Amino acid sequence: MAGSQPLAKTPDWSMLPPELLQIIARKLPDISDFVKFRAVCTTWRSSACVSDPPPQLPWFLEEAGFLLEEAGYFKSNLHFYSLFSGKIHTIHSPNSSGNRVRGPGHDYIVLYNAASCQISLLNPLTGRKVVLPFLDIAIAGLQPIWVGPDPIESGEPVVFSGYSADFKTGILAFYQPVAREWVVIKEPCSCSLRCHYFNGMYYVNEDENEDTKVIDIVTRKVVHVVPPPTEDDYECDGIMRKTYLVQSGGDILLVVFHYDELLEMADCHFHIFRLDLRSGNGGKPRWVKISSIGDQILFLDENNGFSLSCRDFSGFRGNSIYFIKRHQDMHDRSLSLLCRYDIEEARVEPLNCPFVKGGTWIVPSLR
């Protein structure tokens, strides 16, 4: 027909340069978008390698039932909340059924079977399960305090803590993937909930006097004992507090959460201290109060946490903390809110996560 325009050609997206595809793939901070990207065609899949994924924002894994006998025991479906998209992802995971699921972790979460005392690592996205050698010691309150990125392939240790059966001795269990063996350290203290591991050192907060012991994993000796911050540093009149030990940007931080389940959001706040082992205060190590953690973001569950840099995630601000705030409902059940704390403004904001049973964090991975 005279004057008709030729039909525009549909672009062949598979012909995009590999260099451009790699740039695009590296800017997908939610693993679900990364999976969809790889599913477009063979060219896109080869440009987005699962062994070198883009930095991922953590997903929040929902805890199990409200009842005491159900708490922590998972069935075959795991439910995750994505900070980036605000969506819920449900993953069928038969390996998790009947186990207690523990975190936080990178790539893997920890499965603990109370009947057999079997400890395993599970990547919930790929379904890969790694059964660890039997730990020939009874540990009450088993809790992972460090599950780093891809521990099986990288050889990074997996670190657990807990108590002896009489709750008089703290137990630190260090699994070495390369040697496939455990190193166990026992300390006459309660150290299950406030521990951390970083660069060959255990950091253990004692319940009784709140000192922090620094233990060399090789020699198994205490190399430093750090007294707690003074009460003047806390400024927490009448408010309960919970403490965390977290590695952030190469520093060990003592993060103190001041809260009450009956208080409003505005009345909850954090104080943060950096461990100074080379202190000018007579050469004694100490905790130094800080007002900023720079571009770092802390992700805390009920007991432990980890840190990531906001530079890897456009639209997410650093100097902040994602955490769980407990409160009581009309049935006297303890419910959970997922919240963000702006350190500079000392302000708490609730997030739109629908999970109210609590949970933990995992950095998802296809490795």
Side-chain angles (χ1 to χ4, degrees):
M1 181 183 295
S4 63
Q5 298 294 322
L7 295 175
K9 291 184 177 180
T10 302
D12 185 354
W13 297 109
S14 67
M15 298 303 292
L16 288 175
E19 297 82 6
L20 178 59
L21 291 172
Q22 291 169 7
I23 292 173
I24 296 172
R26 295 294 298 174
K27 294 183 179 295
L28 299 175
D30 189 281
I31 200 74
S32 61
D33 293 333
F34 185 70
V35 170
K36 293 173 184 175
F37 181 95
R38 285 174 45 83
V40 171
C41 64
T42 302
T43 303
W44 286 37
R45 184 162 56 251
S46 62
S47 299
C49 184
V50 296
S51 62
D52 185 28
Q56 291 296 304
L57 276 166
W59 281 1
F60 189 71
L61 170 61
E62 183 184 29
E63 179 62 277
F66 284 114
L67 299 178
L68 181 61
E69 61 269 22
E70 298 176 352
Y73 287 97
F74 281 74
K75 297 183 179 180
S76 57
N77 286 332
L78 299 178
H79 304 288
F80 300 87
Y81 174 77
S82 167
L83 279 181
F84 181 77
S85 66
K87 295 179 180 179
I88 303 297
H89 300 288
T90 299
I91 296 178
H92 184 64
S93 178
N95 280 324
S96 66
S97 182
N99 289 279
R100 287 188 177 273
V101 177
R102 293 286 184 257
H106 298 255
D107 299 11
Y108 290 85
I109 51 179
V110 173
L111 303 181
Y112 179 64
N113 189 301
S116 65
C117 297
Q118 181 187 85
I119 304 172
S120 307
L121 302 180
L122 173 69
N123 184 324
L125 273 71
T126 66
R128 183 186 184 190
K129 182 179 179 181
V130 180
V131 179
L132 303 188
F134 183 70
L135 178 58
D136 191 19
I137 183 173
I139 298 181
L142 181 76
Q143 182 73 35
I145 59 175
W146 176 249
V147 183
D150 198 13
I152 302 303
E153 299 301 326
S154 69
E156 284 292 311
V158 183
V159 186
F160 301 86
S161 67
Y163 299 98
S164 59
D166 59 7
F167 291 91
K168 294 181 179 179
T169 302
I171 299 175
L172 307 172
F174 174 96
Y175 174 67
Q176 302 175 99
V178 175
R180 287 189 57 80
E181 64 181 18
W182 292 94
V183 172
V184 175
I185 297 176
K186 297 181 181 180
E187 281 291 313
C189 62
S190 297
C191 58
S192 176
L193 302 182
R194 296 181 294 176
C195 310
H196 199 67
Y197 168 83
F198 180 58
N199 276 359
M201 297 290 180
Y202 273 125
Y203 299 83
V204 182
N205 263 30
E206 294 190 317
D207 283 344
E208 191 169 312
N209 55 22
E210 297 189 339
D211 284 348
T212 302
K213 288 184 177 180
V214 184
I215 303 173
D216 188 307
I217 192 65
V218 176
T219 65
R220 308 189 191 186
K221 293 182 178 180
V222 176
V223 294
H224 297 288
V225 177
V226 188
T230 65
E231 288 295 323
D232 292 340
D233 290 325
Y234 283 121
E235 303 168 4
C236 58
D237 296 339
I239 300 179
M240 294 184 292
R241 66 176 182 241
K242 176 187 289 188
T243 61
Y244 300 83
L245 288 171
V246 186
Q247 187 275 133
S248 178
D251 289 324
I252 297 297
L253 303 181
L254 178 69
V255 181
V256 185
F257 178 35
H258 303 285
Y259 72 102
D260 191 305
E261 293 189 2
L262 302 177
L263 290 178
E264 298 295 329
M265 289 287 183
D267 296 314
C268 300
H269 58 281
F270 287 84
H271 287 143
I272 305 174
F273 304 84
R274 177 181 58 82
L275 181 58
D276 181 5
L277 295 177
R278 299 180 298 274
S279 174
N281 182 27
K284 297 180 180 179
R286 60 171 180 161
W287 292 106
V288 179
K289 193 172 184 179
I290 59 176
S291 59
S292 171
I293 58 173
D295 63 9
Q296 297 293 304
I297 308 173
L298 302 184
F299 298 90
L300 307 178
D301 65 11
E302 289 289 348
N303 300 315
N304 295 299
F306 55 78
S307 175
L308 298 175
S309 171
C310 71
R311 289 178 292 182
D312 294 323
F313 311 109
S314 176
F316 281 77
R317 291 175 292 171
N319 203 30
S320 59
I321 302 172
Y322 288 84
F323 71 101
I324 300 168
K325 167 67 171 69
R326 291 281 186 180
H327 70 282
Q328 299 290 332
D329 71 356
M330 64 181 64
H331 302 293
D332 201 31
R333 295 184 305 183
S334 182
L335 306 184
S336 298
L337 290 174
L338 189 58
C339 304
R340 176 185 177 274
Y341 181 77
D342 186 302
I343 296 174
E344 182 177 2
E345 298 181 7
R347 179 173 56 87
V348 176
E349 59 176 322
L351 304 179
N352 292 322
C353 177
F355 299 159
V356 295
K357 304 172 188 175
T360 190
W361 298 99
I362 180 174
V363 179
S365 170
L366 297 174
R367 292 181 289 201

